[in-house]
Amino acid sequence: MNRLIFLAGVFLSLSLAAPSFAEDTVFPARGSKAETLVIGSVTDIDFIEGLIKAFQTANPSTEVVYRQMTSLDLYAAAAEACTKGTFFADTVISSAIPEQVRLVNDGCSEPFRFSLPADLPDWASWRNELVGLTFEPAVIVYDRQGLNPADVPRNRFELVDLLRQTERFRGRIGTYDIEDSGVGYIFAFEDAAQASTWGRLLESLGQNRAQLFCCSSDVIDGVASGRLVLGYNVLGSYALARQAADPRIGIIFPSDYTLALSRAAYVSRDAHNVRAANALIALALSDTGQRILSGDSKLYSSRNGPEMLARADAVSGGVTGAAAFRPIALSPALLVGLDQAKRKAFLDQWRKSFQAGKDD
């Protein structure tokens, strides 16, 4: 009995010590298994499954374990593994690009073992250790059944004017909870740096008691169901993919400027399968990979995304040209937003604005 109790205690301690990855998805090798590739990522599996299957077509003996987490949990797990020199994933792919830059800056990656495409923009790579695979705008989504065409805002100035109708929109606006979302935080931080309307927009969101969500998909769900009229700073890739199946969802590329980020990937310094990690990233950057990402998933390409999105917007009656897209560069400048003092001050301003809305 004592031995059984001891073994049970050992099993429990090991279970508690081991990380929990409830969102692991395994893609078995198509042939005789010879190796495993572990991908740590924030991307919804439906959006990247096509790339994984194309990779396995070229690498049939490779089993792929896709480890999906929220952006902040992914960063915490990758940072802890890096600090301890332990294995977490062979490659880490995340839209929380400041955290990706920090991990690379802290020595958690190794140089790529392939040549980057000659037409890759300068903003899409850093130190030959971090590279942007996609081009994803921050858009405004709206309910076409709940908003008259004449009321649809085309830029932030018009959005601020619209949101003055607080009785109409109170509780029916959605956006990221920037305390829980790395993507939401970088979009908001960049807005504060670039938009003359930021203070008024933040005040308007607070006065309208905007609903806060962890993920773009939750905001889009709210718009699709009619619970929300508008969603601000939603990832365009997710919105475009949903719009293809649900015409109720309208999408606005703000004409004053449209931020865009690129899901960034690196090969882990402690990778178990360096070859496969490099092969996957190289595939994603190839013409084949970019066609896959720009297809049904609407992640678009870091190589020609602005032009493709501007054409798509024009076809739907939009007014945003390629010049209005402002990609967020992969560079050490992103670390400014992660400075603890600056982050605290920024989040304090955010909380006060939303608290003021609740107190009205």
Side-chain angles (χ1 to χ4, degrees):
M1 176 64 73
N2 288 339
R3 185 170 183 272
L4 288 174
I5 293 174
F6 171 75
L7 289 175
V10 170
F11 178 78
L12 177 62
S13 64
L14 288 174
S15 299
L16 293 174
S20 174
F21 301 112
E23 297 300 322
D24 276 13
T25 302
V26 178
F27 294 84
R30 296 187 176 186
S32 298
K33 177 185 171 183
E35 61 179 4
T36 299
L37 170 67
V38 180
I39 305 168
S41 179
V42 303
T43 307
D44 287 357
I45 186 65
D46 292 345
F47 286 77
I48 203 168
E49 186 173 359
L51 184 68
I52 293 173
K53 289 182 176 179
F55 170 80
Q56 288 188 306
T57 297
N59 299 267
S61 62
T62 307
E63 175 187 81
V64 175
V65 176
Y66 189 72
R67 183 157 291 166
Q68 184 181 339
M69 306 171 74
T70 65
S71 58
L72 296 184
D73 285 345
L74 178 71
Y75 169 68
E80 181 180 15
C82 178
T83 299
K84 294 180 178 179
T86 56
F87 177 77
F88 165 65
D90 297 300
T91 180
V92 177
I93 306 172
S94 178
S95 48
I97 51 179
E99 286 79 2
Q100 291 289 83
V101 169
R102 172 174 280 178
L103 288 165
V104 171
N105 192 62
D106 289 347
C108 303
S109 60
E110 67 161 53
F112 296 125
R113 301 185 184 184
F114 60 91
S115 297
L116 295 175
D119 61 347
L120 187 74
D122 291 341
W123 56 261
S125 65
W126 183 51
R127 280 194 351 189
N128 196 42
E129 295 184 38
L130 185 68
V131 65
L133 308 181
T134 64
F135 188 88
E136 301 176 61
V139 303
I140 302 169
V141 295
Y142 66 96
D143 177 8
R144 283 176 165 157
Q145 296 180 17
L147 197 63
N148 295 325
D151 290 336
V152 175
R154 292 299 173 186
N155 53 53
R156 289 168 182 79
F157 302 99
E158 293 180 6
L159 177 60
V160 169
D161 287 342
L162 183 68
L163 293 185
R164 287 174 179 159
Q165 304 174 40
T166 52
E167 293 303 319
R168 179 182 177 187
F169 295 108
R170 183 167 287 143
R172 302 193 68 197
I173 310 296
T175 191
Y176 276 113
D177 184 343
I178 68 170
E179 295 189 68
D180 291 335
S181 168
V183 178
Y185 181 83
I186 184 58
F187 279 156
F189 194 82
E190 290 291 318
D191 269 344
Q194 301 199 37
S196 60
T197 55
W198 172 247
R200 285 177 290 159
L201 179 57
L202 186 58
E203 181 182 4
S204 297
L205 292 173
Q207 288 176 343
N208 282 278
R209 300 180 186 173
Q211 303 295 305
L212 303 180
F213 300 88
C214 75
C215 315
S216 283
S217 56
D218 291 341
V219 180
I220 298 168
D221 285 343
V223 171
S225 68
R227 290 183 291 107
L228 300 176
V229 178
L230 285 163
Y232 181 71
N233 265 358
V234 173
L235 273 174
S237 51
Y238 288 14
L240 287 162
R242 284 287 295 276
Q243 186 188 56
D246 187 351
R248 180 171 182 168
I249 297 170
I251 299 175
I252 302 158
F253 299 90
S255 60
D256 48 335
Y257 70 87
T258 298
L259 291 172
L261 59 74
S262 186
R263 288 172 198 264
Y266 68 82
V267 176
S268 174
R269 180 197 64 201
D270 300 300
H272 288 172
N273 196 335
V274 174
R275 183 209 68 80
N278 276 275
L280 176 74
I281 297 172
L283 172 63
L285 292 169
S286 70
D287 291 344
T288 298
Q290 297 287 275
R291 280 195 298 271
I292 293 170
L293 294 175
S294 298
D296 291 342
S297 66
K298 306 298 183 185
L299 296 176
Y300 288 97
S301 158
S302 53
R303 293 164 55 189
N304 62 6
E307 291 76 16
M308 293 183 68
L309 283 164
R311 286 199 296 270
D313 185 45
V315 168
S316 63
V319 296
T320 301
F325 289 102
R326 296 185 188 176
I328 303 171
L330 302 179
S331 78
L334 290 174
L335 298 177
V336 173
L338 296 180
D339 176 82
Q340 289 301 308
K342 286 185 171 60
R343 180 179 173 85
K344 182 180 183 303
F346 190 73
L347 291 177
D348 284 347
Q349 179 195 25
W350 174 269
R351 291 190 202 100
K352 287 177 183 177
S353 295
F354 280 88
Q355 187 59 48
K358 293 179 181 178
D359 293 340
D360 286 345

